[in-house]
């Protein structure tokens, strides 16, 4: 079934094609090469980065359940921080590596050159070493979005310590769980984290967390606001004093390609967060390559990814990918709506941003504020726009394209996961046409397959949908779940033998382009028709009165599953029976009678993870009238939203 928005196609402009690293013919040729001879292809791509010891082996992978093992470049040695810093010093030592834009627009921005970055990272590496951190130790980073967060990541990489970043919005409990889960030696934090004009007391959160951790865990404290903190002599270390006195050189430690680089917990949208482990060589090759090609990054460009370093997007596309490429990467401490809804666009104008990468949740929020916030800013520097995190509904896509990009900028709708290390599917500027809401094409080396969810058999041909799996490995793939290889195999390799199971549903349209339909758990089966929740949500959000929508299935006597919609209205819209009827009719005409909502509940807010994703598993429980087992809610941004939804649950 082809829905109406699938037929809207935006080919790349001649200007985009002329500039792009890869054009349509180039993509076809490179993609074919990457699939027919992965060893040769990735052997060549591995040269993007510098090796202390070259590899002789490229790919060594076993996807068989029970013996899963993933290795790339496994006899090579390198250091990630040397690749992100030292190798650029001769040619671009005075180029800005990091632009820091503080939360408060009146505070000056900072431009940190590659030379300065080198000094700061070496000093931090010396400080950590003096605290007893050595190769293989785990270090927790619980920091605001300040340059010191990047220094901390790169200092760990320089020493060979494994970092695990905990988003600064997380509670002491969540922090303690991650300190203990990774058996960390040190927690790096800051006094306070300014964000959106408010301040989170990070150090006191860390103090509270450390009460539940081993006594010998040390705490390195960076001064951000200078605000008051408690100090525990012997346990707490003053970063600013120590780094000022530290040596500004530190020899990068030689790491095997398969030594772990970091552990990162997933968002927890579908269950208990998983401690995803990424390693050194393959991860960096993949992050660097995707950063350059997906965003069409060119030397001298200013690149901005609005994510937080607490998410994988911040790892691969604020720090490691861009810096490995010698790029100028912007770190923003604040939020899109502070001091007002113009902030993102002001920052774009101020720093002449060329590539801008954000999430649909931010776009939807800003779209709701009106275009005047955008129109007063000069966005002419923008060239590539990117989105990640959730399916982007065509409504938001069109706004991004027209109002932000002025119709000139390709939009890369990048589908990937914490587990994948980098983009797996996205249109490439200059190589592919775009369709609003479609991740379009696989990246090099990626073979997506659509499986029948029951039989696990590959569904051939186009205009089909099912479960999305990946046929073979790629260098950026996660290697294991920290301390639990069993769970790793069970989660990703048990249900569909011989494939990497993504957990997402997907549709390959009549042209062979890919659409992520949401998580497999979220696919609903109405009277035998399988439907992605994303599709119904997109239809709802396309109505003028609707700001946001989340759709789940619930048991229905006749249809098997019914369609339960949680709808957040625009500020100026009022809930009414008439509007309810109108929305039902609207969805029927947008998609078809089969998608007609059974229940619509007005929702002043939706339960979201701290990274802005809707937690449908909670909404499913509410729809099922099963409030007792909401599961892990520790990564929810605002737990009170759930109480409200339960209290106002619609009687069906
Ligand atoms: P958990 O695995 O703990 O439930 P999570 O899946 O939300 O959490 P992430 O790794 O942060 O953790 O998110 C990856 C998921 O986000 C993908 O599997 C997919 O469902 C969704 N996603 C990311 N980018 C896109 C995109 N461009 N289009 C559609 N969906 C996307
Ligand atoms: Mg996931």
């Amino acid at each position: 079934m082809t829905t109406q928005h699938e037929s809207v196609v935006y080919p790349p402009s001649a200007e985009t094609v002329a500039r792009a690293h890869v054009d349509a013919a180039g993509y076809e040729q490179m993609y074919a090469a990457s699939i027919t001879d992965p060893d040769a292809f990735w052997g060549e791509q591995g040269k993007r980065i510098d090796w202390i010891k070259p590899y002789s082996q490229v790919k060594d992978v076993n996807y068989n359940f029970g013996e899963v093992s993933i290795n790339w470049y496994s006899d090579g040695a390198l250091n990630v921080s040397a690749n992100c810093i030292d190798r650029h010093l001769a040619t671009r030592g005075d180029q800005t590596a990091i632009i820091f834009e503080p939360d408060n627009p009146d505070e000056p921005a900072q431009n940190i050159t590659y030379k300065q970055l080198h000094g700061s990272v070496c000093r931090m590496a010396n400080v950590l070493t003096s605290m007893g951190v050595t190769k293989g130790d785990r270090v927790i980073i619980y920091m605001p979005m300040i340059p010191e967060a990047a220094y901390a990541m790169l200092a760990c990489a320089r020493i060979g310590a494994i970092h695990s970043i905990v988003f600064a919005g997380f509670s002491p409990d969540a922090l303690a769980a991650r300190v203990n889960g990774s058996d960390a030696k040190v927690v790096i934090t800051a006094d306070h984290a300014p964000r959106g004009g408010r301040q989170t007391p990070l150090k006191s959160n860390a103090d509270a967390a450390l009460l539940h951790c081993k006594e010998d865990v040390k705490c390195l404290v960076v001064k951000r606001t200078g605000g008051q903190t408690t100090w525990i002599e012997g346990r707490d270390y003053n970063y600013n004093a120590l780094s000022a006195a530290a040596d500004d050189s530190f020899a990068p430690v030689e790491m095997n390609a398969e030594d772990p680089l970091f552990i990162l917990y997933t968002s927890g949208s579908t269950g208990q967060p998983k401690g995803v482990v990424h390693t050194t060589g393959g991860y960096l090759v993949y992050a660097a390559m995707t950063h350059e090609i997906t965003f069409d990054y060119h030397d001298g460009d200013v690149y901005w990814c609005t994510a937080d370093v607490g998410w994988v997007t911040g790892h691969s596309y604020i720090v490691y990918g861009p810096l490995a490429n010698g790029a100028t990467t912007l770190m923003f401490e604040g939020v899109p709506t502070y001091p007002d809804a113009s902030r993102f666009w002001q920052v774009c104008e101020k720093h002449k941003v060329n590539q801008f990468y954000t999430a649909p949740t931010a776009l939807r929020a800003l779209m709701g504020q009106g275009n005047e916030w955008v129109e007063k800013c000069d966005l002419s520097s923008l060239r590539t726009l990117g989105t990640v995190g959730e399916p982007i509904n065509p409504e938001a896509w069109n706004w991004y394209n027209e109002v932000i990009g002025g119709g000139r900028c390709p939009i890369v709708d990048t589908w990937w996961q914490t587990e994948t290390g980098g983009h797996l599917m996205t249109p490439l500027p200059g190589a592919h046409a775009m369709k609003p809401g479609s991740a379009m094409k696989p990246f090099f080396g990626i073979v997506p397959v659509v499986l029948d969810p029951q039989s696990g058999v590959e569904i051939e041909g186009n205009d089909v949908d099912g479960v999305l799996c990946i046929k073979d490995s790629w260098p950026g793939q996660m290697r294991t779940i920290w301390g639990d290889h069993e769970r790793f195999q069970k989660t990703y390799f048990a249900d569909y033998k011989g494939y990497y199971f993504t957990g997402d549903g997907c549709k390959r349209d009549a042209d062979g382009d890919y659409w992520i339909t949401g998580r497999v758990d979220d696919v609903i089966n109405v009277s035998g028709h399988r439907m992605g929740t994303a599709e119904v949500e997109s239809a709802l959000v396309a109505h003028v009165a609707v700001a946001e929508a989340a759709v789940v299935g619930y048991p229905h006597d006749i249809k098997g599953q019914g369609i339960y919609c949680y709808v957040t209205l625009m500020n100026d819209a009022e809930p009414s029976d008439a509007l309810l009827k109108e929305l039902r009719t609207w969805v029927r005409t947008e998609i078809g009678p089969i998608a007609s909502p059974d229940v619509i509940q007005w929702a002043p807010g939706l339960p979201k993870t701290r990274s802005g994703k809707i937690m449908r598993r909670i909404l499913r429980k509410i729809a099922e009238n099963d409030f007792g087992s909401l599961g892990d809610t520790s990564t929810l941004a605002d737990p009170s939203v759930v109480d409200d939804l339960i209290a106002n649950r619609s009687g069906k």
Side-chain angles (χ1 to χ4, degrees):
M1 172 177 80
T2 304
T3 57
Q4 64 188 61
H5 57 254
E6 278 173 32
S7 49
V8 184
V9 182
Y10 294 84
S13 69
E15 198 192 332
T16 301
V17 176
R19 186 179 53 227
H21 288 300
V22 180
D23 63 11
Y27 172 82
E28 293 303 333
Q29 183 262 321
M30 259 173 92
Y31 183 73
S34 73
I35 302 308
T36 34
D37 192 350
D39 273 292
F41 182 84
W42 290 113
E44 194 55 35
Q45 290 301 327
K47 296 178 188 159
R48 288 179 168 270
I49 60 173
D50 288 355
W51 297 81
I52 301 170
K53 257 196 222 128
Y55 46 87
S56 65
Q57 198 170 18
V58 179
K59 177 176 164 228
D60 173 16
V61 174
N62 184 346
Y63 264 17
N64 288 332
F65 181 66
E67 48 193 48
V68 176
S69 117
I70 298 163
N71 303 278
W72 285 86
Y73 310 108
S74 57
D75 59 348
L78 72 159
N79 182 281
V80 164
S81 119
N83 269 287
C84 291
I85 310 170
D86 305 43
R87 67 168 179 155
H88 306 308
L89 292 177
T91 49
R92 49 176 105 238
D94 295 320
Q95 180 201 306
T96 300
I98 297 176
I99 299 174
F100 170 60
E101 173 67 28
D103 183 51
N104 177 353
D106 298 330
E107 210 182 292
Q110 290 172 36
N111 286 328
I112 297 141
T113 66
Y114 273 95
K115 255 189 216 151
Q116 291 167 330
L117 179 64
H118 179 260
S120 299
V121 169
C122 287
R123 280 193 295 272
M124 176 103 65
N126 280 313
V127 171
L128 288 171
T129 303
S130 74
M131 294 171 71
V133 175
T134 56
K135 183 171 174 173
D137 286 343
R138 273 78 58 206
V139 172
I140 298 281
I141 300 175
Y142 182 62
M143 294 270 272
M145 277 291 289
I146 55 178
E148 287 80 358
Y151 304 163
M153 295 165 77
L154 292 161
C156 287
R158 205 164 181 88
I159 298 172
I162 305 165
H163 61 70
S164 182
I165 307 191
V166 177
F167 175 54
F170 279 149
S171 65
D173 284 350
L175 176 59
R178 286 156 177 74
V179 176
N180 295 331
S182 63
D183 195 14
K185 224 174 195 174
V186 169
V187 174
I188 308 177
T189 191
D191 44 14
H192 292 85
R195 207 157 171 265
R198 287 200 294 263
Q199 296 197 356
T200 311
L202 284 191
K203 171 60 166 57
S204 66
N205 284 354
D207 288 338
L210 288 172
L211 291 175
H212 305 285
C213 302
K214 281 201 209 150
E215 270 180 16
D216 58 357
V217 180
K218 294 172 178 164
C219 188
L220 180 63
V221 187
V222 176
K223 178 178 159 196
R224 169 61 185 107
T225 62
Q228 221 188 336
T229 57
T230 338
W231 200 260
I232 300 186
E233 223 37 72
R235 186 200 70 184
D236 294 343
Y237 289 70
N238 180 331
Y239 163 80
N240 299 76
L242 291 169
S243 77
D247 200 280
D248 64 357
S249 67
F250 186 101
V253 172
E254 181 177 312
M255 303 297 288
N256 178 269
E258 285 301 338
D259 283 334
L261 177 65
F262 64 84
I263 305 168
L264 181 63
Y265 288 84
T266 54
S267 314
S269 306
T270 51
Q272 194 84 21
K274 302 169 277 277
V276 167
V277 175
H278 281 287
T279 58
T280 300
Y283 170 80
L284 193 65
V285 169
Y286 201 72
M289 182 180 184
T290 45
H291 169 260
E292 180 186 45
I293 294 181
T294 302
F295 298 110
D296 199 38
Y297 185 87
H298 292 262
D299 254 359
D301 286 349
V302 175
Y303 162 88
W304 180 21
C305 164
T306 71
D308 191 281
V309 289
W311 316 126
V312 71
T313 308
H315 286 63
S316 301
Y317 300 115
I318 295 177
V319 178
Y320 291 121
L323 295 179
N325 289 334
T328 298
T329 181
L330 194 149
M331 279 180 89
F332 175 47
E333 190 181 32
V335 299
T337 47
Y338 176 79
D340 60 41
S342 199
R343 188 69 193 276
F344 268 7
W345 322 123
Q346 278 165 6
V347 173
C348 285
E349 173 179 307
K350 178 172 168 189
H351 298 290
K352 302 202 169 36
V353 170
N354 302 114
Q355 288 88 8
F356 177 75
Y357 191 29
T358 196
T361 180
L363 293 172
R364 282 193 296 266
L366 293 172
M367 182 170 76
Q369 307 276 328
N371 294 353
E372 58 275 20
W373 300 104
V374 186
E375 282 156 1
K376 60 183 183 193
C377 300
D378 175 6
L379 297 180
S380 58
S381 61
L382 288 175
R383 283 211 326 259
T384 309
L385 303 176
T387 152
V388 61
E390 288 181 292
I392 181 165
N393 50 297
E395 194 71 4
W397 194 98
N398 287 330
W399 186 77
Y400 203 18
N401 181 41
E402 286 157 26
V403 181
I404 306 305
R408 299 173 285 113
C409 305
I411 296 179
V412 290
D413 181 351
T414 61
W415 171 79
W416 62 297
Q417 311 176 299
T418 310
E419 294 90 335
T420 71
H423 307 145
L424 292 199
M425 291 209 255
T426 175
L428 297 181
H432 301 135
M434 301 168 296
K435 297 176 184 175
S438 169
M440 298 299 291
K441 301 283 187 201
F443 195 76
F444 304 111
I446 305 302
V447 184
V449 290
V450 180
L451 303 188
D452 177 272
Q454 266 75 45
S455 68
V457 171
E458 276 185 43
I459 307 174
E460 309 279 341
N462 291 338
D463 209 1
V464 296
D465 72 87
V467 166
L468 176 61
C469 286
I470 310 294
K471 211 166 190 168
D472 204 345
S473 183
W474 62 97
Q477 185 170 24
M478 77 183 282
R479 303 304 197 248
T480 191
I481 290 179
W482 182 254
D484 198 348
H485 199 62
E486 192 65 25
R487 185 177 175 206
F488 173 61
Q489 300 200 53
K490 279 201 186 123
T491 310
Y492 306 105
F493 299 93
D495 293 355
Y496 302 101
K497 298 282 182 320
Y499 301 97
Y500 166 74
F501 171 46
T502 67
D504 286 338
C506 129
K507 172 149 80 178
R508 190 163 51 222
D509 71 14
D511 303 322
D513 298 323
Y514 291 88
W515 299 73
I516 305 301
T517 47
R519 290 150 210 284
V520 171
D521 302 350
D522 295 335
V523 170
I524 41 189
N525 194 327
V526 183
S527 312
H529 295 267
R530 290 167 45 77
M531 209 177 312
T533 48
E535 203 170 348
V536 186
E537 289 164 8
S538 286
L540 284 165
V541 176
H543 190 281
V544 281
V546 178
E548 230 174 354
V551 172
V552 297
Y554 72 98
H556 189 284
D557 291 344
I558 300 148
K559 304 180 187 178
Q561 274 189 306
I563 301 179
Y564 196 115
C565 311
Y566 298 85
V567 171
T568 308
L569 293 177
M570 293 284 191
N571 280 342
D572 56 358
E574 282 294 322
S576 70
D577 284 347
L579 181 55
L580 208 134
K581 273 201 195 106
E582 192 180 317
L583 288 178
R584 272 211 181 101
T585 316
W586 175 263
V587 175
R588 287 171 73 95
T589 36
E590 288 274 300
I591 307 179
I594 189 69
S596 182
D598 294 286
V599 183
I600 294 180
Q601 174 172 345
W602 307 122
L606 294 169
K608 290 187 183 169
T609 65
R610 295 272 178 177
S611 49
K613 297 178 196 216
I614 297 168
M615 274 205 205
R616 288 184 192 72
R617 65 182 161 87
I618 291 178
L619 295 173
R620 216 160 32 231
K621 292 285 182 197
I622 298 173
E624 287 165 2
N625 238 336
D626 179 8
F627 311 139
S629 53
L630 295 180
D632 185 347
T633 52
S634 65
T635 61
L636 266 182
D638 178 8
S640 72
V641 164
V642 176
D643 302 332
D644 176 89
L645 291 177
I646 292 176
N648 295 302
R649 185 179 173 284
S650 297
K652 294 188 287 268

